Amino acid sequence: VVPKVLAYAERHRNANIERLFEFLRLPSVSAQIEHGEDMLRTAHWVSDAMADAGMDARVIETDGHPVVYGERRSPKAKAPTVLIYGHYDVQPPGVESLWTKPAFHPWIDSAGRVYARGAADDKGQLLAHVLALDAWHNAGEDLPVNVKFLIEGEEEVGSPNIAPFVEKHPQMLACDYVVISDTAKFSSDLPAVTYGTKGLIYREIIVSGPRQDLHSGHYGGTVANPVNVLAQLIAAMHDDKGRIAIPGFYDSVRPLSDEERAAWKALAFDEGHYLNETGSPQLTGERGFTTLERMWGRPTLDANGMVGGYHGEGASTIIPAVAAAKVSVRLVPDQQAEAIGQLFDDFVYEKCPSSVVLEIRSHAAADPYICPADCPGLHAAKAAVAKSFGREPVLIREGGSLPVLPTFKRVLGAESLLVGFCDPNSNAHGPNEFLHKKDFEAGIRMSIRLLDELDQAMNS
Amino acid sequence: VVPKVLAYAERHRNANIERLFEFLRLPSVSAQIEHGEDMLRTAHWVSDAMADAGMDARVIETDGHPVVYGERRSPKAKAPTVLIYGHYDVQPPGVESLWTKPAFHPWIDSAGRVYARGAADDKGQLLAHVLALDAWHNAGEDLPVNVKFLIEGEEEVGSPNIAPFVEKHPQMLACDYVVISDTAKFSSDLPAVTYGTKGLIYREIIVSGPRQDLHSGHYGGTVANPVNVLAQLIAAMHDDKGRIAIPGFYDSVRPLSDEERAAWKALAFDEGHYLNETGSPQLTGERGFTTLERMWGRPTLDANGMVGGYHGEGASTIIPAVAAAKVSVRLVPDQQAEAIGQLFDDFVYEKCPSSVVLEIRSHAAADPYICPADCPGLHAAKAAVAKSFGREPVLIREGGSLPVLPTFKRVLGAESLLVGFCDPNSNAHGPNEFLHKKDFEAGIRMSIRLLDELDQAMNS
């Protein structure tokens, strides 16, 4: 059965690329109000593509941009269910002049890279799954598992409506596994299955001192300076070993197992290449851990921005009235965002002197996610990727956060399988975002196979 | 003789206010290129006013806005010489809507306050001295001392050309004392003579990390974050007692004498009023010192501004590529700006990790100034102020910096007498700047008397 479906997809390679280009031409920028109609148009395009793939599909309103939901059942009794999640919205193009061709005019270069905003994140990757279903359907084959699609339109603006949506529709979304292609390979030529993502808390700290900026000569040394105080608060968040100095912060951190550390050490991770990619003078971080361990397995804390006082040309001698910083903390299992957020706030309040007024705002929160190593779905995913990309994938984690994964686990009880296949340097949020044509096609094959592999894994 | 001159000024009160209004109508904003012609017009207005006062006066070109120089000699043999310094340029008006009437439309309220940009800083104060000379001249009296005027047009933009000018003209500017009215009374109803100003170094610290902003999930914890590093550098500049933690920083600080501390303690300084003026939640600062001691007698360090990374609405999870801060340090006798600047730079370079690239820029430097307590001119100044303002002045210092004072001392060998008479809350750089009419008139009397007092002090 599977070879027949794969053959159908192979025969329709050109048509599939045409569909991808069509999808990429839709400027579905969720952050920009002027694209409201484009968002709706794109949702309906996705719904129509699902219908072509033989699914019951519909566009469902939310408080923000709509969700596209589709499903097709297997005729088998007691077939397992797979929920495929993705997002049809994209980042804004940013500075258009940095793009070789306009962001919503997809084109393909001689190396086979398809360039357009959303090619990798996430239109190209989600479409591969829709076209896999299309192949199953139009090859005339019954599905080995029930398949559901949940495609949202607000991932790039923090998915404000997806958790409520999942909580509202636990029956409709009920599944054995969630499948997501919104991550990257380990390197251009080494596929990966991702089994963990970090959690996140995001705080804004606002320190107010004098009513207005004061002359630093007339008032200096007599009142607290909000920039100095905020610098002290941020500095206090790390100790001199690169560890986060918030009391109790590490209590719930699950230590990396010897197996995991050994597996990561065995990966051909090129530190020189990585360093060069960042442009930083050198790699650094928490003492006693490798770069990959820091990236995937250890919590981190970053000031994402800070502003206060004078920052124009030359000199202005003031005590600023106010200073503000944004701070994000990436969490690892088994840290919980709410508990760590409380520790963070307690720490900042305790450290902050009474000579200023402190305000802390919370902008986002997500729990970390990790798929158990003995999860059968993980092995099915590895097998489908290995057969489709011609190379055994490596098991990796991800330093970024996917807030929806813990929601799926909590509400649906389902583990998530992250089978993304874009390039790790796909410029996902920058100019000239791309997806390799060959990876798009391998992604379709992988999705075709994955349904079969998951069926086998769950029946064995 | 003096009573006759005072009587002349008294008879010309209305004319003097008219002259002040005329002067205040000229928008001599040194920072704004579009006021170039206004600057020249104002310089000539000052020169003409000096000529009316019987002086040889001229406008002298510099690399920036011109200087006005005037002199009138005493017929006496071996008469001492007084150099009166001031500035005809003003701050930009700022937000016009915050002014009751436009900044360059002077008006007087029912309490006798003259409102206009430059009323206090420094047109009103410098004009009092010119009009004092006018009274001596037009009352038909010979001057008891030689008088020179040096009125610059770049004080509000950091006086870039005044030190070179003084160094170039040591003979022309040779004097026994410098007299300046560019400071404030201790309070509305208590006049002051200021005998010390703080020095200043002003640095910009730029910390660069990655080539461009990085995703804090993908790269967090593996490269140094410039905002975090800069926060650590700024935090390290103070210890937990509010002292500046740069090694050697206090080595050249002259301790406050018991007499000075006792004199300042005797001043009716209202901490509650002061705190309320700042709008800060509480007063703070270096442990072991009073607010006045911190303000006048102890070095201070302030971050004047800091910027780096994301500071828009909501959340952006980045490791910023670069962060920058401006830091000013106010110095006290006998600290020298150059030596302290070197200590500062050494400290920052030593504390900065090699995981970022550090750059330090210098924007301004000034040495502190203090007039010796036994200086005869100081007593002459006190006497002239006491007689003219109807109350014995207090001797105070100033937290701000006047870079030209150490230059006068170094090049001309002359001490400076700071006999300013604006209100301490005159809104010198803000909206609705004002000078009391009665203080303007008392200032003219004070200047008339000061020439006589200085003559007596130097002959006794």
Side-chain angles (χ1 to χ4, degrees), chain B residues 355-371:
Chain B
S355 50
V356 294
V357 175
L358 174 66
E359 183 191 348
I360 303 178
R361 294 182 191 161
S362 177
H363 286 296
D367 287 326
Y369 173 75
I370 191 162
C371 180

Side-chain angles (χ1 to χ4, degrees), chain A residues 254-323:
Chain A
R254 195 193 297 183
L256 294 171
S257 68
D258 291 343
E259 292 76 14
E260 209 165 20
R261 296 185 85 163
W264 293 356
K265 281 216 170 65
L267 292 172
F269 180 69
D270 183 340
E271 296 219 340
H273 177 80
Y274 177 84
L275 175 62
N276 188 51
E277 197 179 283
T278 67
S280 287
Q282 70 183 42
L283 297 176
T284 183
E286 187 186 2
R287 244 186 251 177
F289 294 91
T290 67
T291 299
L292 277 187
E293 287 165 357
R294 291 164 178 165
M295 200 188 315
W296 294 343
R298 299 295 298 175
T300 61
L301 183 152
D302 276 291
N304 309 104
M306 179 162 165
V307 67
Y310 181 75
H311 44 87
E313 280 295 303
S316 174
T317 46
I318 57 164
I319 302 168
V322 64

Side-chain angles (χ1 to χ4, degrees), chain B residues 169-187:
Chain B
H169 301 289
Q171 288 309 114
M172 181 173 91
L173 301 173
C175 61
D176 298 286
Y177 281 104
V178 177
V179 167
I180 305 176
S181 290
D182 197 17
T183 48
K185 298 180 290 184
F186 181 69
S187 65

Side-chain angles (χ1 to χ4, degrees), chain A residues 123-148:
Chain A
K123 285 174 169 176
Q125 300 211 60
L126 90 83
L127 185 63
H129 291 285
V130 176
L131 294 176
L133 266 286
D134 190 279
W136 278 95
H137 175 62
N138 289 305
E141 296 298 333
D142 290 337
L143 289 179
V145 295
N146 304 315
V147 175
K148 298 174 178 179

Side-chain angles (χ1 to χ4, degrees), chain B residues 60-69 83-89 149-170 172-173 180 402-408 410-412:
Chain B
I60 305 177
E61 293 302 308
T62 72
D63 285 345
H65 298 299
V67 152
V68 186
Y69 178 76
L83 174 68
I84 301 173
Y85 164 87
H87 62 95
Y88 66 86
D89 66 322
F149 271 94
L150 174 66
I151 309 297
E152 70 156 314
E154 299 187 309
E155 201 271 348
E156 300 295 1
V157 291
S159 299
N161 293 297
I162 201 68
F165 187 90
V166 174
E167 276 155 14
K168 200 173 155 190
H169 301 289
M172 181 173 91
L173 301 173
I180 305 176
L402 275 166
V404 76
L405 304 193
T407 304
F408 288 142
R410 178 171 49 82
V411 180
L412 309 177

Side-chain angles (χ1 to χ4, degrees), chain B residues 5-337:
Chain B
V5 180
L6 291 171
Y8 179 91
E10 175 66 19
R11 282 197 311 277
H12 291 80
R13 283 172 66 185
N14 290 342
N16 286 342
I17 290 290
E18 276 310 308
R19 300 286 287 278
L20 175 60
F21 273 47
E22 207 180 305
F23 194 16
L24 293 176
R25 282 191 197 102
L26 298 167
S28 51
V29 182
S30 50
Q32 298 176 341
I33 197 94
E34 65 266 31
H35 287 293
E37 236 174 271
D38 294 323
M39 290 300 294
L40 199 60
R41 208 150 52 95
T42 309
H44 280 282
W45 189 94
V46 173
S47 175
D48 291 349
M50 288 180 192
D52 291 346
M55 312 191 79
D56 283 332
R58 60 199 154 110
V59 173
I60 305 177
E61 293 302 308
T62 72
D63 285 345
H65 298 299
V67 152
V68 186
Y69 178 76
E71 62 175 46
R72 186 178 170 216
R73 307 200 71 82
S74 167
K76 296 195 307 182
K78 295 195 184 168
T81 300
V82 173
L83 174 68
I84 301 173
Y85 164 87
H87 62 95
Y88 66 86
D89 66 322
V90 300
Q91 282 276 321
V95 182
E96 280 278 8
S97 62
L98 297 177
W99 288 76
T100 305
K101 296 192 183 181
F104 297 107
H105 287 63
W107 64 287
I108 190 162
D109 73 5
S110 57
R113 290 189 194 89
V114 175
Y115 291 92
R117 171 59 80 232
D121 183 14
D122 180 43
K123 284 173 168 175
Q125 299 210 59
L126 89 82
L127 185 63
H129 290 285
V130 176
L131 294 176
L133 267 284
D134 191 278
W136 278 96
H137 175 60
N138 289 304
E141 296 299 331
D142 290 336
L143 289 178
V145 295
N146 304 316
V147 175
K148 299 173 176 180
F149 271 94
L150 174 66
I151 309 297
E152 70 156 314
E154 299 187 309
E155 201 271 348
E156 300 295 1
V157 291
S159 299
N161 293 297
I162 201 68
F165 187 90
V166 174
E167 276 155 14
K168 200 173 155 190
H169 301 289
Q171 288 309 114
M172 181 173 91
L173 301 173
C175 61
D176 298 286
Y177 281 104
V178 177
V179 167
I180 305 176
S181 290
D182 197 17
T183 48
K185 298 180 290 184
F186 181 69
S187 65
S188 285
D189 53 5
L190 182 53
V193 174
T194 302
Y195 65 98
T197 57
K198 283 187 180 172
L200 174 74
I201 62 165
Y202 197 104
R203 293 292 199 265
E204 185 167 358
I205 305 173
I206 300 159
V207 173
S208 304
R211 193 180 299 115
Q212 55 192 39
D213 295 349
L214 297 176
H215 190 292
S216 74
H218 301 158
Y219 296 92
T222 69
V223 293
N225 177 317
V227 173
N228 287 81
V229 169
L230 187 51
Q232 282 156 11
L233 293 177
I234 290 174
M237 292 174 190
H238 282 102
D239 68 15
D240 58 5
K241 292 178 181 63
R243 281 169 64 91
I244 294 160
I246 298 168
F249 183 85
Y250 289 95
D251 290 357
S252 52
V253 171
R254 194 194 298 182
L256 294 171
S257 67
D258 292 343
E259 293 75 13
E260 209 164 21
R261 296 185 85 163
W264 293 356
K265 281 215 172 65
L267 292 173
F269 180 69
D270 183 340
E271 296 219 339
H273 177 80
Y274 177 84
L275 176 62
N276 187 53
E277 197 179 282
T278 67
S280 287
Q282 69 183 44
L283 297 176
T284 184
E286 186 186 4
R287 243 186 253 175
F289 293 92
T290 66
T291 299
L292 276 187
E293 286 165 358
R294 292 164 177 165
M295 199 189 315
W296 293 344
R298 298 295 298 176
T300 62
L301 183 151
D302 276 289
N304 309 104
M306 179 162 166
V307 67
Y310 181 76
H311 45 87
E313 278 296 303
S316 175
T317 47
I318 56 164
I319 302 168
V322 64
K326 313 232 183 195
V327 177
S328 65
V329 186
R330 300 279 174 173
L331 312 175
V332 300
D334 297 306
Q335 292 181 303
Q336 294 294 301

